[in-house]
């Protein structure tokens, strides 16, 4: 039975190592996910800036077409002026020219506004693209490191699992089950020392008779409070 306790302790040591590797793996995986999410976010921003710019350029083209049209109207009306015979007609054409010029001015202002907007968005897009390029270089390095670390973790996990199973499998089935349950429900600590009359797993006092019996019997006893399997360190 004492041999079993030695085995259980070794088993627990392996499982605790495995748990800590698992935690490290999850941390790295979370980091990698975070990096991926950030890259996607910036790429989406660049794409959305791009589509806004395209839309604005389309609107600007429409405005420029209108402007060309109005410019042509002004020239046409101005060309008619020398041939006009009556004062009334002359004034009417002048008014036409004036209206067209006002429209021209308005369209020119709108084109200018689009230019400003496009320039601002283009600048923002260039900035984002730049930070994306910088990020991608850093990310490539970091993701490579993460990949390597995860592979190393996998390798040591696999060999620890093999070793753990080789220790666990020879134990009686009921003990295996009990051990697994305790590991699961007692935060990865199934085997715990009893010292000075208390269980060091839950820090509760043990009945004196039980505590004393730990020194005498080879049988594996459990804590009545937390159910963990108890061992004592015998004084030399
Ligand atoms: Zn306990």
């Amino acid at each position: 039975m004492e041999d079993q306790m030695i085995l259980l302790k070794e088993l627990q040591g392996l499982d605790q190592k495995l748990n800590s590797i698992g935690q490290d793996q999850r941390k790295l995986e979370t980091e990698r996910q975070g990096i991926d999410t950030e890259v996607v976010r910036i790429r989406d921003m660049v794409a959305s800036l791009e589509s806004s710019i395209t839309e604005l350029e389309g609107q600007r083209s429409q405005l420029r077409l209108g402007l060309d049209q109005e410019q042509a109207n002004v020239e046409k009306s101005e060309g008619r002026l020398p041939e006009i015979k009556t004062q009334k007609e002359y004034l009417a054409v002048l008014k036409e020219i004036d209206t067209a010029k006002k429209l021209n001015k308005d369209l020119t202002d709108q084109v200018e506004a689009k230019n400003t907007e496009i320039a601002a968005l283009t600048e923002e897009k260039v900035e984002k693209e730049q930070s994306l390029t910088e990020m991608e270089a850093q990310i490539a390095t970091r993701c490579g490191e993460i990949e390597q670390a995860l592979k190393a973790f996998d390798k040591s996990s696999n060999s620890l699992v093999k070793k753990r199973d080789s220790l666990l499998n020879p134990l009686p089935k009921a003990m295996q089950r009990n051990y697994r349950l305790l590991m699961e429900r007692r935060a990865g600590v199934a085997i715990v020392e009893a010292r000075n009359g208390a269980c060091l797993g839950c820090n509760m006092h043990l009945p004196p008779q039980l505590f004393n019996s730990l020194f005498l019997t080879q049988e594996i006893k459990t804590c009545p409070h937390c159910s963990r399997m108890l061992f004592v360190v015998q004084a030399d």
Side-chain angles (χ1 to χ4, degrees):
M1 283 299 173
E2 204 179 339
D3 288 348
Q4 265 182 352
M5 188 39 89
I6 291 167
L7 218 135
L8 282 167
K9 279 196 258 180
E10 197 180 339
L11 193 61
Q12 174 166 279
L14 292 175
D15 269 321
Q16 285 171 345
K17 251 186 229 164
L18 276 167
N19 285 344
S20 120
I21 288 176
Q23 275 171 11
D24 290 344
Q25 272 173 321
R26 281 189 292 280
K27 241 185 257 168
L28 287 178
E29 271 153 13
T30 307
E31 185 187 341
R32 190 161 62 178
Q33 267 168 16
I35 290 172
D36 288 346
T37 311
E38 183 61 6
V39 170
V40 168
R41 192 180 71 86
I42 297 188
R43 281 201 189 124
D44 283 352
M45 278 164 87
V46 170
S48 129
L49 284 167
E50 230 159 47
S51 81
S52 300
I53 290 170
T54 308
E55 199 187 323
L56 286 168
E57 281 170 345
Q59 292 166 358
R60 187 175 60 182
S61 297
Q62 284 304 111
L63 288 168
R64 278 179 179 157
L65 279 179
L67 193 57
D68 286 348
Q69 186 63 49
E70 284 314 310
Q71 194 58 45
N73 285 345
V74 169
E75 279 163 25
K76 208 172 107 193
S77 303
E78 279 172 345
R80 275 169 58 204
L81 283 175
E83 297 150 25
I84 289 169
K85 307 275 188 300
T86 70
Q87 174 77 0
K88 195 180 164 197
E89 204 185 340
Y90 191 83
L91 285 174
V93 172
L94 277 185
K95 202 180 166 201
E96 235 177 71
I97 291 171
D98 191 49
T99 308
K101 276 185 172 167
K102 271 184 191 143
L103 204 55
N104 258 343
K105 170 81 176 65
D106 186 41
L107 286 169
T108 307
D109 287 348
Q110 285 185 50
V111 169
E112 274 309 308
K114 294 290 173 205
N115 282 343
T116 310
E117 236 179 310
I118 289 169
L121 291 185
T122 305
E123 196 182 328
E124 200 184 330
K125 192 185 123 198
V126 169
E127 267 170 34
K128 293 273 177 285
E129 279 170 338
Q130 235 163 21
S131 65
L132 196 59
T133 310
E134 279 163 26
M135 258 179 89
E136 273 165 345
Q138 290 168 357
I139 282 165
T141 312
R142 185 59 191 141
C143 284
E145 287 167 3
I146 290 176
E147 197 60 38
Q148 286 298 314
L150 286 176
K151 265 188 202 153
F153 281 149
D154 266 347
K155 214 173 144 193
S156 44
S157 266
N158 287 341
S159 78
L160 283 172
V161 166
K162 268 188 207 141
K163 206 167 158 197
R164 193 259 326 262
D165 289 347
S166 77
L167 293 178
L168 187 68
N169 290 335
L171 290 173
K173 289 276 173 257
M175 190 179 279
Q176 286 186 34
R177 219 178 69 86
N178 191 25
Y179 170 80
R180 283 187 191 283
L181 268 175
L182 284 168
M183 285 304 274
E184 210 179 283
R185 294 183 184 168
R186 294 286 177 256
V189 184
I191 323 294
V192 78
E193 189 189 341
R195 197 192 296 165
N196 300 328
C199 161
L200 296 190
C202 63
N203 293 317
M204 300 282 277
H205 276 285
L206 298 166
Q209 206 183 347
L210 170 65
F211 181 68
N212 291 332
S213 76
L214 291 170
F215 291 90
L216 307 170
T217 171
Q218 299 289 321
E219 202 185 326
I220 290 176
K221 305 255 181 184
T222 59
C223 168
H225 309 291
C226 70
S227 306
R228 289 184 175 99
M229 297 185 249
L230 301 165
F231 67 87
V232 280
V233 178
Q234 306 268 4
D236 291 328

